[in-house]
Amino acid sequence: MTGGRTDGPAGGTAARAVEELVGVGVTGVHGIGASVFEVDLDGGGVVVAKFHAAEGKAGVEAHGLRWLAEPGVVAVPEVRGVDGHWLVIDQVEPGAPSAAAAVELGRGLARLHAAGAGAFGEGPRESWIGNLPMACVVGPRWPEWFAEHRIRPYLRQAVDRRALSPDQAAPVEAVCARIEEVAGPAEPPARLHGDLWNGNVLWDRHDRPWLIDPAAHGGHRESDLAMLALFGCPHLDRVLAAYDEAAPLAAGWRDRVALHQLFPLLVHVVLFGAGYAGQTAAAARRVLAT
């Protein structure tokens, strides 16, 4: 579904979007972010309404949520409605992370990745990672695909914006040149969340983890795990142990974490500036040292 509602993410507009897309009256709207709202429905129930200024971005997020939900192996909020700018999904009742939920997250991710994708890069061609465009161009082999479509585009942007110096960019370029030897054993395309930092995992009151805000595409399963580790995750050791028990990871996977983290780190350099440049260069040097 497409639409022309572009008058911004004001609370009244969120209410109208929910009424039109869900077909239920609204009794209250509560802002939980600059463009994200909890909306109380007439008769009970709460949904989350999210405004995307970029035309079509809401539809891409909806597609990603549905694609992740399709195998039925991880908890994903149901998409209740979507148009050109608004996405409406079920609310997840907030809880706290627990050891039991961490084990479920690890096992669920293993099953999700095993559900597979048609190719590396499978996904909406015009996609996003955060607020940056992310091209989903398919490729038959992961190493060259990762270097060409997940590292180099953001490396170029970071250098062009002078957020990454030539000296800092050099080890990243060297990783691309040596991608075949540092990539590890071949893996089939996995069904990735694609932006799996801790903020995109919700923990409910029933010890169940939920995935939100995907940049879903076909990729390497170690990429989701590396991003989960990048900024910290509660009970991460339990998540990884449960994953490895359900779907054993290839030998040397811990040595490849820095390789997979180059993509989100470069995205952060482009989005937020040189504060992430040193961390990015250091990750590239760790890859080259393995």
Side-chain angles (χ1 to χ4, degrees), residues 227-241:
M227 191 177 291
L228 197 61
L230 183 56
F231 301 114
C233 173
H235 306 291
L236 179 61
D237 288 347
R238 290 180 181 269
V239 175
L240 296 176

mmCIF file with all atom_site columns, all heavy atoms in Angstrom, residues 227-241:
data_model
loop_
_atom_site.group_PDB
_atom_site.id
_atom_site.type_symbol
_atom_site.label_atom_id
_atom_site.label_alt_id
_atom_site.label_comp_id
_atom_site.label_asym_id
_atom_site.label_entity_id
_atom_site.label_seq_id
_atom_site.pdbx_PDB_ins_code
_atom_site.Cartn_x
_atom_site.Cartn_y
_atom_site.Cartn_z
_atom_site.occupancy
_atom_site.B_iso_or_equiv
_atom_site.pdbx_formal_charge
_atom_site.auth_seq_id
_atom_site.auth_comp_id
_atom_site.auth_asym_id
_atom_site.auth_atom_id
_atom_site.pdbx_PDB_model_num
ATOM 1   N N   . MET A 1 227 ? 27.378 -8.162  15.115 1.00 0.00 ? 227 MET A N   1
ATOM 2   C CA  . MET A 1 227 ? 26.739 -6.883  15.426 1.00 0.00 ? 227 MET A CA  1
ATOM 3   C C   . MET A 1 227 ? 26.119 -6.907  16.820 1.00 0.00 ? 227 MET A C   1
ATOM 4   O O   . MET A 1 227 ? 26.142 -5.917  17.536 1.00 0.00 ? 227 MET A O   1
ATOM 5   C CB  . MET A 1 227 ? 25.689 -6.532  14.378 1.00 0.00 ? 227 MET A CB  1
ATOM 6   C CG  . MET A 1 227 ? 25.196 -5.094  14.513 1.00 0.00 ? 227 MET A CG  1
ATOM 7   S SD  . MET A 1 227 ? 24.002 -4.581  13.255 1.00 0.00 ? 227 MET A SD  1
ATOM 8   C CE  . MET A 1 227 ? 25.025 -4.536  11.799 1.00 0.00 ? 227 MET A CE  1
ATOM 9   N N   . LEU A 1 228 ? 25.572 -8.052  17.205 1.00 0.00 ? 228 LEU A N   1
ATOM 10  C CA  . LEU A 1 228 ? 25.003 -8.175  18.545 1.00 0.00 ? 228 LEU A CA  1
ATOM 11  C C   . LEU A 1 228 ? 26.070 -7.928  19.604 1.00 0.00 ? 228 LEU A C   1
ATOM 12  O O   . LEU A 1 228 ? 25.794 -7.368  20.666 1.00 0.00 ? 228 LEU A O   1
ATOM 13  C CB  . LEU A 1 228 ? 24.391 -9.565  18.717 1.00 0.00 ? 228 LEU A CB  1
ATOM 14  C CG  . LEU A 1 228 ? 23.412 -9.774  19.870 1.00 0.00 ? 228 LEU A CG  1
ATOM 15  C CD1 . LEU A 1 228 ? 22.194 -8.879  19.724 1.00 0.00 ? 228 LEU A CD1 1
ATOM 16  C CD2 . LEU A 1 228 ? 22.987 -11.234 19.926 1.00 0.00 ? 228 LEU A CD2 1
ATOM 17  N N   . ALA A 1 229 ? 27.296 -8.330  19.305 1.00 0.00 ? 229 ALA A N   1
ATOM 18  C CA  . ALA A 1 229 ? 28.399 -8.155  20.258 1.00 0.00 ? 229 ALA A CA  1
ATOM 19  C C   . ALA A 1 229 ? 29.005 -6.755  20.222 1.00 0.00 ? 229 ALA A C   1
ATOM 20  O O   . ALA A 1 229 ? 29.684 -6.362  21.180 1.00 0.00 ? 229 ALA A O   1
ATOM 21  C CB  . ALA A 1 229 ? 29.495 -9.181  19.961 1.00 0.00 ? 229 ALA A CB  1
ATOM 22  N N   . LEU A 1 230 ? 28.759 -5.997  19.163 1.00 0.00 ? 230 LEU A N   1
ATOM 23  C CA  . LEU A 1 230 ? 29.492 -4.749  18.939 1.00 0.00 ? 230 LEU A CA  1
ATOM 24  C C   . LEU A 1 230 ? 29.281 -3.731  20.057 1.00 0.00 ? 230 LEU A C   1
ATOM 25  O O   . LEU A 1 230 ? 30.241 -3.125  20.553 1.00 0.00 ? 230 LEU A O   1
ATOM 26  C CB  . LEU A 1 230 ? 29.093 -4.143  17.591 1.00 0.00 ? 230 LEU A CB  1
ATOM 27  C CG  . LEU A 1 230 ? 29.819 -2.878  17.166 1.00 0.00 ? 230 LEU A CG  1
ATOM 28  C CD1 . LEU A 1 230 ? 31.333 -3.075  17.150 1.00 0.00 ? 230 LEU A CD1 1
ATOM 29  C CD2 . LEU A 1 230 ? 29.322 -2.417  15.801 1.00 0.00 ? 230 LEU A CD2 1
ATOM 30  N N   . PHE A 1 231 ? 28.045 -3.533  20.469 1.00 0.00 ? 231 PHE A N   1
ATOM 31  C CA  . PHE A 1 231 ? 27.752 -2.531  21.491 1.00 0.00 ? 231 PHE A CA  1
ATOM 32  C C   . PHE A 1 231 ? 27.258 -3.158  22.788 1.00 0.00 ? 231 PHE A C   1
ATOM 33  O O   . PHE A 1 231 ? 26.713 -2.479  23.645 1.00 0.00 ? 231 PHE A O   1
ATOM 34  C CB  . PHE A 1 231 ? 26.729 -1.520  20.961 1.00 0.00 ? 231 PHE A CB  1
ATOM 35  C CG  . PHE A 1 231 ? 27.198 -0.806  19.729 1.00 0.00 ? 231 PHE A CG  1
ATOM 36  C CD1 . PHE A 1 231 ? 26.564 -0.995  18.518 1.00 0.00 ? 231 PHE A CD1 1
ATOM 37  C CD2 . PHE A 1 231 ? 28.296 0.044   19.772 1.00 0.00 ? 231 PHE A CD2 1
ATOM 38  C CE1 . PHE A 1 231 ? 26.995 -0.349  17.375 1.00 0.00 ? 231 PHE A CE1 1
ATOM 39  C CE2 . PHE A 1 231 ? 28.745 0.697   18.632 1.00 0.00 ? 231 PHE A CE2 1
ATOM 40  C CZ  . PHE A 1 231 ? 28.097 0.494   17.432 1.00 0.00 ? 231 PHE A CZ  1
ATOM 41  N N   . GLY A 1 232 ? 27.445 -4.458  22.925 1.00 0.00 ? 232 GLY A N   1
ATOM 42  C CA  . GLY A 1 232 ? 27.079 -5.139  24.148 1.00 0.00 ? 232 GLY A CA  1
ATOM 43  C C   . GLY A 1 232 ? 25.649 -5.643  24.118 1.00 0.00 ? 232 GLY A C   1
ATOM 44  O O   . GLY A 1 232 ? 24.753 -5.012  23.551 1.00 0.00 ? 232 GLY A O   1
ATOM 45  N N   . CYS A 1 233 ? 25.426 -6.794  24.728 1.00 0.00 ? 233 CYS A N   1
ATOM 46  C CA  . CYS A 1 233 ? 24.103 -7.398  24.804 1.00 0.00 ? 233 CYS A CA  1
ATOM 47  C C   . CYS A 1 233 ? 24.012 -8.143  26.126 1.00 0.00 ? 233 CYS A C   1
ATOM 48  O O   . CYS A 1 233 ? 24.950 -8.875  26.489 1.00 0.00 ? 233 CYS A O   1
ATOM 49  C CB  . CYS A 1 233 ? 23.893 -8.365  23.633 1.00 0.00 ? 233 CYS A CB  1
ATOM 50  S SG  . CYS A 1 233 ? 22.367 -9.335  23.732 1.00 0.00 ? 233 CYS A SG  1
ATOM 51  N N   . PRO A 1 234 ? 22.924 -7.999  26.865 1.00 0.00 ? 234 PRO A N   1
ATOM 52  C CA  . PRO A 1 234 ? 22.790 -8.745  28.118 1.00 0.00 ? 234 PRO A CA  1
ATOM 53  C C   . PRO A 1 234 ? 22.898 -10.247 27.886 1.00 0.00 ? 234 PRO A C   1
ATOM 54  O O   . PRO A 1 234 ? 22.332 -10.776 26.919 1.00 0.00 ? 234 PRO A O   1
ATOM 55  C CB  . PRO A 1 234 ? 21.389 -8.364  28.605 1.00 0.00 ? 234 PRO A CB  1
ATOM 56  C CG  . PRO A 1 234 ? 21.088 -7.060  27.952 1.00 0.00 ? 234 PRO A CG  1
ATOM 57  C CD  . PRO A 1 234 ? 21.764 -7.117  26.618 1.00 0.00 ? 234 PRO A CD  1
ATOM 58  N N   . HIS A 1 235 ? 23.650 -10.906 28.749 1.00 0.00 ? 235 HIS A N   1
ATOM 59  C CA  . HIS A 1 235 ? 23.801 -12.369 28.701 1.00 0.00 ? 235 HIS A CA  1
ATOM 60  C C   . HIS A 1 235 ? 24.326 -12.837 27.344 1.00 0.00 ? 235 HIS A C   1
ATOM 61  O O   . HIS A 1 235 ? 23.938 -13.905 26.842 1.00 0.00 ? 235 HIS A O   1
ATOM 62  C CB  . HIS A 1 235 ? 22.466 -13.061 28.988 1.00 0.00 ? 235 HIS A CB  1
ATOM 63  C CG  . HIS A 1 235 ? 21.808 -12.631 30.265 1.00 0.00 ? 235 HIS A CG  1
ATOM 64  N ND1 . HIS A 1 235 ? 22.333 -12.954 31.506 1.00 0.00 ? 235 HIS A ND1 1
ATOM 65  C CD2 . HIS A 1 235 ? 20.689 -11.898 30.500 1.00 0.00 ? 235 HIS A CD2 1
ATOM 66  C CE1 . HIS A 1 235 ? 21.538 -12.447 32.455 1.00 0.00 ? 235 HIS A CE1 1
ATOM 67  N NE2 . HIS A 1 235 ? 20.551 -11.801 31.870 1.00 0.00 ? 235 HIS A NE2 1
ATOM 68  N N   . LEU A 1 236 ? 25.233 -12.061 26.745 1.00 0.00 ? 236 LEU A N   1
ATOM 69  C CA  . LEU A 1 236 ? 25.715 -12.403 25.404 1.00 0.00 ? 236 LEU A CA  1
ATOM 70  C C   . LEU A 1 236 ? 26.362 -13.787 25.370 1.00 0.00 ? 236 LEU A C   1
ATOM 71  O O   . LEU A 1 236 ? 26.178 -14.533 24.400 1.00 0.00 ? 236 LEU A O   1
ATOM 72  C CB  . LEU A 1 236 ? 26.714 -11.347 24.924 1.00 0.00 ? 236 LEU A CB  1
ATOM 73  C CG  . LEU A 1 236 ? 27.310 -11.586 23.536 1.00 0.00 ? 236 LEU A CG  1
ATOM 74  C CD1 . LEU A 1 236 ? 26.232 -11.604 22.462 1.00 0.00 ? 236 LEU A CD1 1
ATOM 75  C CD2 . LEU A 1 236 ? 28.369 -10.524 23.209 1.00 0.00 ? 236 LEU A CD2 1
ATOM 76  N N   . ASP A 1 237 ? 27.107 -14.140 26.402 1.00 0.00 ? 237 ASP A N   1
ATOM 77  C CA  . ASP A 1 237 ? 27.741 -15.466 26.409 1.00 0.00 ? 237 ASP A CA  1
ATOM 78  C C   . ASP A 1 237 ? 26.704 -16.578 26.303 1.00 0.00 ? 237 ASP A C   1
ATOM 79  O O   . ASP A 1 237 ? 26.928 -17.589 25.616 1.00 0.00 ? 237 ASP A O   1
ATOM 80  C CB  . ASP A 1 237 ? 28.579 -15.648 27.681 1.00 0.00 ? 237 ASP A CB  1
ATOM 81  C CG  . ASP A 1 237 ? 29.852 -14.817 27.666 1.00 0.00 ? 237 ASP A CG  1
ATOM 82  O OD1 . ASP A 1 237 ? 30.213 -14.306 26.589 1.00 0.00 ? 237 ASP A OD1 1
ATOM 83  O OD2 . ASP A 1 237 ? 30.478 -14.664 28.734 1.00 0.00 ? 237 ASP A OD2 1
ATOM 84  N N   . ARG A 1 238 ? 25.559 -16.402 26.964 1.00 0.00 ? 238 ARG A N   1
ATOM 85  C CA  . ARG A 1 238 ? 24.501 -17.411 26.882 1.00 0.00 ? 238 ARG A CA  1
ATOM 86  C C   . ARG A 1 238 ? 23.862 -17.432 25.493 1.00 0.00 ? 238 ARG A C   1
ATOM 87  O O   . ARG A 1 238 ? 23.520 -18.501 24.981 1.00 0.00 ? 238 ARG A O   1
ATOM 88  C CB  . ARG A 1 238 ? 23.442 -17.153 27.952 1.00 0.00 ? 238 ARG A CB  1
ATOM 89  C CG  . ARG A 1 238 ? 23.912 -17.438 29.374 1.00 0.00 ? 238 ARG A CG  1
ATOM 90  C CD  . ARG A 1 238 ? 22.810 -17.167 30.381 1.00 0.00 ? 238 ARG A CD  1
ATOM 91  N NE  . ARG A 1 238 ? 23.249 -17.400 31.738 1.00 0.00 ? 238 ARG A NE  1
ATOM 92  C CZ  . ARG A 1 238 ? 23.141 -18.548 32.394 1.00 0.00 ? 238 ARG A CZ  1
ATOM 93  N NH1 . ARG A 1 238 ? 22.595 -19.587 31.780 1.00 0.00 ? 238 ARG A NH1 1
ATOM 94  N NH2 . ARG A 1 238 ? 23.556 -18.676 33.639 1.00 0.00 ? 238 ARG A NH2 1
ATOM 95  N N   . VAL A 1 239 ? 23.696 -16.264 24.900 1.00 0.00 ? 239 VAL A N   1
ATOM 96  C CA  . VAL A 1 239 ? 23.159 -16.198 23.536 1.00 0.00 ? 239 VAL A CA  1
ATOM 97  C C   . VAL A 1 239 ? 24.058 -16.986 22.582 1.00 0.00 ? 239 VAL A C   1
ATOM 98  O O   . VAL A 1 239 ? 23.591 -17.829 21.804 1.00 0.00 ? 239 VAL A O   1
ATOM 99  C CB  . VAL A 1 239 ? 23.043 -14.737 23.059 1.00 0.00 ? 239 VAL A CB  1
ATOM 100 C CG1 . VAL A 1 239 ? 22.610 -14.688 21.585 1.00 0.00 ? 239 VAL A CG1 1
ATOM 101 C CG2 . VAL A 1 239 ? 22.063 -13.950 23.924 1.00 0.00 ? 239 VAL A CG2 1
ATOM 102 N N   . LEU A 1 240 ? 25.356 -16.715 22.636 1.00 0.00 ? 240 LEU A N   1
ATOM 103 C CA  . LEU A 1 240 ? 26.291 -17.343 21.714 1.00 0.00 ? 240 LEU A CA  1
ATOM 104 C C   . LEU A 1 240 ? 26.427 -18.841 21.977 1.00 0.00 ? 240 LEU A C   1
ATOM 105 O O   . LEU A 1 240 ? 26.516 -19.639 21.034 1.00 0.00 ? 240 LEU A O   1
ATOM 106 C CB  . LEU A 1 240 ? 27.654 -16.663 21.826 1.00 0.00 ? 240 LEU A CB  1
ATOM 107 C CG  . LEU A 1 240 ? 27.678 -15.182 21.415 1.00 0.00 ? 240 LEU A CG  1
ATOM 108 C CD1 . LEU A 1 240 ? 29.059 -14.588 21.670 1.00 0.00 ? 240 LEU A CD1 1
ATOM 109 C CD2 . LEU A 1 240 ? 27.270 -14.998 19.958 1.00 0.00 ? 240 LEU A CD2 1
ATOM 110 N N   . ALA A 1 241 ? 26.430 -19.230 23.250 1.00 0.00 ? 241 ALA A N   1
ATOM 111 C CA  . ALA A 1 241 ? 26.538 -20.658 23.574 1.00 0.00 ? 241 ALA A CA  1
ATOM 112 C C   . ALA A 1 241 ? 25.309 -21.415 23.084 1.00 0.00 ? 241 ALA A C   1
ATOM 113 O O   . ALA A 1 241 ? 25.423 -22.525 22.527 1.00 0.00 ? 241 ALA A O   1
ATOM 114 C CB  . ALA A 1 241 ? 26.717 -20.835 25.079 1.00 0.00 ? 241 ALA A CB  1
#
